[in-house]
Amino acid sequence: MRIRLYHVLVNRQSGIRERYHRMHDGAVGARRIFSWVYLFWLNLCYYVFFCRFLGHTKGTVLYEEKRIPCVLSESEMACMRYENSLLRGDHIKFRKGNVFSDGLEQSYVNYLLQYDVVSFDLFDTLIFRPFSAPEDLFFLIGEKLDFLDFKRIRMEMEARARREKFQRDGSYEVTLSDIWHLMERETGIDAKIGERQECEMEKSLCYANPFMYKVFQELCKRGKMILVITDMYLPQAFLKTILTENGYEGVARIYVSNVYGKSKWNGSLYQRVLTDLQDELQRKVKLIHVGDHQHSDVKMAGKYKIKSLYYPNVDAEASLYRARDMSPIIGGAYRGIVSHYLYSGECCHSMEYEYGFIYGGLFVVGYCTFIHNYVRDNNIDKILFLSRDGDILRQVYAMLYPDEETKYVYWSRAAALKLTVDENRYDFFRRFLYHKVNQGQSIAETLRQMELGGLLSKLPMEETDVLTSENVEAVKKILLDNWLEVCAQYRGQSEAAAGYYAQALSECQKAVAVDIGWAGSGAMALRSLLKRWRIPCEFVGILAGTNSVNSAEPDTSEAQLQSGKLISYLFSQSLNRDVLKKHDPTADDNVYWELLLSSPTRQFLGFYPSARGIVLRFGKMPANPEGCREIQRGILDFAREYYKHFADYPYMFAINGRDACAPMLAACGQNRKYLKTIAEKFSLDISVSCGGESVDIII
């Protein structure tokens, strides 16, 4: 009967099921009773009042869109909120103007120094886990135990253990042994093995909150008495080990709810602390508690006349802006790392840095793993990262896979057009001529950018005339009539490039070229040229993404993608088609992705012959090289954080393209307002150009 009722009320509609479990799972006491009332109300609204939207889960919305802050970086906003938590009562004296003069950490220290005894909450205050929700840890335990649906069952058993404990003893505070005794009874997993595995997982993943670690250390140096008060099922001795191994030495006492059968949630654990400290309190010793939970750490502490300092929960603070339309494990890890790193209060970062950290970090880590897997599975000898998009990709790849042979090679669309002029004159004319029609550029300037200034005398019009749709065909005809001269102009460059790539691919039978995308013209041009140069190397192009259905030429590389000469990570017409349809080059989506891989280096113009060797010619610097460095720094820091936490869990690096796209898709809210704000900081020139200032390097 119970199962049938559950099926009728809960399982028939996925939206009702999701909303009910969000309220019910882990609930105890009055909240549990309310969850049943809520379930009946959901069914009433759906079946009687025809609120059909309740039948759909939030995840069925095709694309989530977030309102990303566009004035300040998220870390700056977080620091301001943490400052505001100090702007109550007498500690306002530590503030000068609008900024704390000694830094946020020192301001926390200065405030806490007024007190003789400082107690801290444990998890989400002193200690972080690299997930946005603590129960996500159960996914990894379930993987170790090879047990399906482990996370849900483990949460259910904890809730049941608390109910049974309350029925026996009038307390909801359980131990890990209580939970695993029930787990063994209901699942058959040996309780000792399960307990040991859960503790090992906690120990391997827990790490110190860098902000609170510095505050803690300063207070210890000043001789303050430090307490830790936590509602937790883990053993007290184990929690002491977690604290010690993460640098929190000097804790005078630790109060764990399962030891005393009392909790912060109802305030009884604070009563026990006050009882133990009654001798100190009689000597007018002042006590304050620091924690991240408004009810347990602030309200209930206040109920027992204990001063409190609220440290905003980093996951809750960041959740408004983070993508949730992701696979559960990778999504939890991504959100946890971003919120803990940017919202802890340790440091304020620029918007450019956060663009790299939040929107580029997961993408680059996932893309590098995708490349690594392809190289391993196909016995590739060498990876070529094409300039300039390959700059940050190679840096992260070398960090993740330091033993593999990679090479950063110079390449550009302008160089490719000149070198393949005889194999693909269509693209040569399209990009060098037709893309510059009616742009206010003179014919002479256009030909000089093509390095064909010697043909100016053969023009039937004035060289100062602007290139327009009316005269472009005449200019093209002059070039075709003098085609041998055009090809001869680039022959020396082709010979120089052949020497450069012969050296780069020496003793290499199979290689890949890595690029951002989109048509794959860079890799395919190289593939064609290797054949002409008689360099015996099998060659494949790896792209982040392909041409979208919203581009003018959506099918440009379909044959090459189908045959495997090109492969894509994020999306293509046979992969993540929903993203393919959402990605819109006309809305500058290509530009936003390319900006993630921007490099603070000069534009590469081409290869040139010289008596002293091969000349590499470079053009102008990007308009905002420091901003490019900040983006790269953010990506590198994310990769370091991700690797630091999950190096022992290789499967955590299997980040699919859809997950890698999710943060950028979420940032498309408000008609891409945030992305446009970032792009305005950079003057991106996506046109093909060979002219202007240049710098030569001889190799």
Side-chain angles (χ1 to χ4, degrees), residues 397-419:
Y397 197 94
M399 178 196 307
L400 298 177
Y401 309 105
D403 297 329
E404 294 188 21
E405 186 173 1
T406 66
K407 188 172 181 62
Y408 181 73
V409 294
Y410 292 104
W411 194 246
S412 67
R413 185 175 294 149
L417 291 174
K418 293 181 291 180
L419 297 177

Short mmCIF file of all heavy atoms in Angstrom, two decimals, residues 397-419:
data_model
loop_
_atom_site.label_atom_id
_atom_site.label_comp_id
_atom_site.label_asym_id
_atom_site.label_seq_id
_atom_site.Cartn_x
_atom_site.Cartn_y
_atom_site.Cartn_z
N TYR A 397 47.99 21.83 -20.45
CA TYR A 397 48.28 20.44 -20.83
C TYR A 397 49.60 19.98 -20.20
O TYR A 397 49.70 18.86 -19.68
CB TYR A 397 48.35 20.31 -22.35
CG TYR A 397 48.25 18.88 -22.84
CD1 TYR A 397 47.03 18.34 -23.21
CD2 TYR A 397 49.37 18.07 -22.92
CE1 TYR A 397 46.92 17.02 -23.64
CE2 TYR A 397 49.27 16.75 -23.34
CZ TYR A 397 48.05 16.23 -23.70
OH TYR A 397 47.94 14.93 -24.12
N ALA A 398 50.61 20.84 -20.25
CA ALA A 398 51.90 20.50 -19.66
C ALA A 398 51.78 20.31 -18.15
O ALA A 398 52.50 19.51 -17.55
CB ALA A 398 52.93 21.59 -19.99
N MET A 399 50.88 21.05 -17.51
CA MET A 399 50.65 20.90 -16.08
C MET A 399 50.01 19.54 -15.77
O MET A 399 50.40 18.85 -14.83
CB MET A 399 49.74 22.02 -15.57
CG MET A 399 49.41 21.94 -14.09
SD MET A 399 47.99 22.97 -13.64
CE MET A 399 48.50 24.55 -14.28
N LEU A 400 49.03 19.15 -16.59
CA LEU A 400 48.29 17.92 -16.34
C LEU A 400 49.06 16.68 -16.80
O LEU A 400 48.99 15.63 -16.16
CB LEU A 400 46.93 17.98 -17.04
CG LEU A 400 45.96 19.08 -16.59
CD1 LEU A 400 44.70 19.05 -17.43
CD2 LEU A 400 45.62 18.95 -15.12
N TYR A 401 49.78 16.81 -17.91
CA TYR A 401 50.46 15.66 -18.51
C TYR A 401 51.90 16.03 -18.85
O TYR A 401 52.28 16.17 -20.02
CB TYR A 401 49.71 15.20 -19.76
CG TYR A 401 48.23 14.98 -19.51
CD1 TYR A 401 47.28 15.90 -19.97
CD2 TYR A 401 47.79 13.88 -18.78
CE1 TYR A 401 45.93 15.71 -19.71
CE2 TYR A 401 46.44 13.69 -18.52
CZ TYR A 401 45.52 14.62 -18.98
OH TYR A 401 44.18 14.43 -18.73
N PRO A 402 52.73 16.21 -17.84
CA PRO A 402 54.08 16.74 -18.06
C PRO A 402 55.00 15.81 -18.84
O PRO A 402 56.02 16.27 -19.37
CB PRO A 402 54.60 16.96 -16.63
CG PRO A 402 53.80 16.03 -15.78
CD PRO A 402 52.45 15.96 -16.41
N ASP A 403 54.69 14.53 -18.94
CA ASP A 403 55.58 13.59 -19.60
C ASP A 403 55.32 13.47 -21.10
O ASP A 403 56.07 12.77 -21.79
CB ASP A 403 55.45 12.20 -18.96
CG ASP A 403 55.88 12.20 -17.50
OD1 ASP A 403 56.76 13.01 -17.15
OD2 ASP A 403 55.31 11.42 -16.71
N GLU A 404 54.28 14.12 -21.60
CA GLU A 404 53.96 13.98 -23.02
C GLU A 404 54.66 15.06 -23.84
O GLU A 404 54.90 16.17 -23.37
CB GLU A 404 52.44 14.05 -23.22
CG GLU A 404 51.73 12.87 -22.59
CD GLU A 404 50.25 12.84 -22.94
OE1 GLU A 404 49.86 13.46 -23.94
OE2 GLU A 404 49.50 12.19 -22.20
N GLU A 405 54.97 14.69 -25.09
CA GLU A 405 55.70 15.60 -25.97
C GLU A 405 54.72 16.54 -26.67
O GLU A 405 53.84 16.10 -27.41
CB GLU A 405 56.52 14.83 -27.01
CG GLU A 405 57.41 15.73 -27.84
CD GLU A 405 58.34 14.97 -28.75
OE1 GLU A 405 58.29 13.72 -28.74
OE2 GLU A 405 59.12 15.63 -29.46
N THR A 406 54.87 17.81 -26.44
CA THR A 406 54.03 18.81 -27.08
C THR A 406 54.93 19.90 -27.66
O THR A 406 56.09 20.04 -27.27
CB THR A 406 53.05 19.45 -26.08
OG1 THR A 406 53.81 20.21 -25.11
CG2 THR A 406 52.22 18.41 -25.36
N LYS A 407 54.38 20.65 -28.59
CA LYS A 407 55.13 21.76 -29.17
C LYS A 407 54.16 22.88 -29.52
O LYS A 407 53.11 22.65 -30.10
CB LYS A 407 55.89 21.32 -30.42
CG LYS A 407 56.84 22.40 -30.96
CD LYS A 407 57.72 21.87 -32.05
CE LYS A 407 58.69 22.95 -32.56
NZ LYS A 407 59.61 23.43 -31.51
N TYR A 408 54.54 24.07 -29.13
CA TYR A 408 53.78 25.27 -29.50
C TYR A 408 54.34 25.76 -30.83
O TYR A 408 55.53 26.08 -30.93
CB TYR A 408 53.94 26.33 -28.42
CG TYR A 408 53.19 27.62 -28.66
CD1 TYR A 408 51.81 27.68 -28.53
CD2 TYR A 408 53.88 28.79 -29.00
CE1 TYR A 408 51.12 28.87 -28.73
CE2 TYR A 408 53.20 29.98 -29.20
CZ TYR A 408 51.82 30.01 -29.06
OH TYR A 408 51.15 31.20 -29.27
N VAL A 409 53.51 25.77 -31.86
CA VAL A 409 53.98 26.14 -33.20
C VAL A 409 53.24 27.38 -33.69
O VAL A 409 52.08 27.62 -33.32
CB VAL A 409 53.80 24.99 -34.20
CG1 VAL A 409 54.69 23.81 -33.83
CG2 VAL A 409 52.34 24.56 -34.30
N TYR A 410 53.92 28.13 -34.54
CA TYR A 410 53.34 29.36 -35.04
C TYR A 410 52.51 29.09 -36.28
O TYR A 410 52.92 28.39 -37.20
CB TYR A 410 54.45 30.38 -35.32
CG TYR A 410 55.11 30.84 -34.04
CD1 TYR A 410 56.37 30.36 -33.67
CD2 TYR A 410 54.44 31.69 -33.16
CE1 TYR A 410 56.96 30.75 -32.48
CE2 TYR A 410 55.02 32.08 -31.96
CZ TYR A 410 56.27 31.60 -31.63
OH TYR A 410 56.83 31.97 -30.45
N TRP A 411 51.34 29.68 -36.26
CA TRP A 411 50.39 29.50 -37.35
C TRP A 411 49.34 30.59 -37.23
O TRP A 411 49.08 31.11 -36.14
CB TRP A 411 49.72 28.13 -37.27
CG TRP A 411 48.98 27.71 -38.52
CD1 TRP A 411 47.65 27.52 -38.66
CD2 TRP A 411 49.55 27.44 -39.79
NE1 TRP A 411 47.34 27.13 -39.94
CE2 TRP A 411 48.50 27.07 -40.66
CE3 TRP A 411 50.86 27.47 -40.29
CZ2 TRP A 411 48.70 26.75 -41.99
CZ3 TRP A 411 51.06 27.13 -41.62
CH2 TRP A 411 50.00 26.79 -42.46
N SER A 412 48.76 30.95 -38.34
CA SER A 412 47.69 31.94 -38.33
C SER A 412 46.89 31.80 -39.62
O SER A 412 47.34 31.18 -40.60
CB SER A 412 48.25 33.36 -38.22
OG SER A 412 48.97 33.71 -39.39
N ARG A 413 45.72 32.38 -39.63
CA ARG A 413 44.89 32.33 -40.83
C ARG A 413 45.56 33.06 -41.98
O ARG A 413 45.52 32.63 -43.13
CB ARG A 413 43.52 32.95 -40.53
CG ARG A 413 42.53 32.84 -41.67
CD ARG A 413 41.17 33.35 -41.24
NE ARG A 413 40.60 32.50 -40.21
CZ ARG A 413 39.79 32.94 -39.25
NH1 ARG A 413 39.51 34.23 -39.17
NH2 ARG A 413 39.29 32.11 -38.38
N ALA A 414 46.21 34.19 -41.67
CA ALA A 414 46.88 34.96 -42.73
C ALA A 414 48.00 34.14 -43.36
O ALA A 414 48.14 34.10 -44.59
CB ALA A 414 47.44 36.26 -42.15
N ALA A 415 48.80 33.48 -42.52
CA ALA A 415 49.88 32.65 -43.05
C ALA A 415 49.32 31.51 -43.88
O ALA A 415 49.84 31.20 -44.98
CB ALA A 415 50.72 32.10 -41.90
N ALA A 416 48.25 30.87 -43.40
CA ALA A 416 47.67 29.74 -44.12
C ALA A 416 47.13 30.17 -45.48
O ALA A 416 47.29 29.45 -46.48
CB ALA A 416 46.54 29.13 -43.29
N LEU A 417 46.50 31.33 -45.57
CA LEU A 417 45.94 31.80 -46.85
C LEU A 417 47.04 32.00 -47.88
O LEU A 417 46.87 31.67 -49.07
CB LEU A 417 45.18 33.11 -46.63
CG LEU A 417 43.88 33.01 -45.84
CD1 LEU A 417 43.32 34.40 -45.58
CD2 LEU A 417 42.85 32.16 -46.58
N LYS A 418 48.17 32.53 -47.46
CA LYS A 418 49.27 32.77 -48.40
C LYS A 418 49.93 31.46 -48.82
O LYS A 418 50.25 31.27 -50.00
CB LYS A 418 50.29 33.71 -47.77
CG LYS A 418 49.77 35.12 -47.54
CD LYS A 418 50.82 36.03 -46.93
CE LYS A 418 51.15 35.65 -45.52
NZ LYS A 418 52.18 36.53 -44.91
N LEU A 419 50.11 30.56 -47.88
CA LEU A 419 50.81 29.31 -48.18
C LEU A 419 49.97 28.36 -49.01
O LEU A 419 50.51 27.52 -49.75
CB LEU A 419 51.23 28.63 -46.88
CG LEU A 419 52.22 29.40 -46.00
CD1 LEU A 419 52.49 28.65 -44.71
CD2 LEU A 419 53.52 29.66 -46.74
#
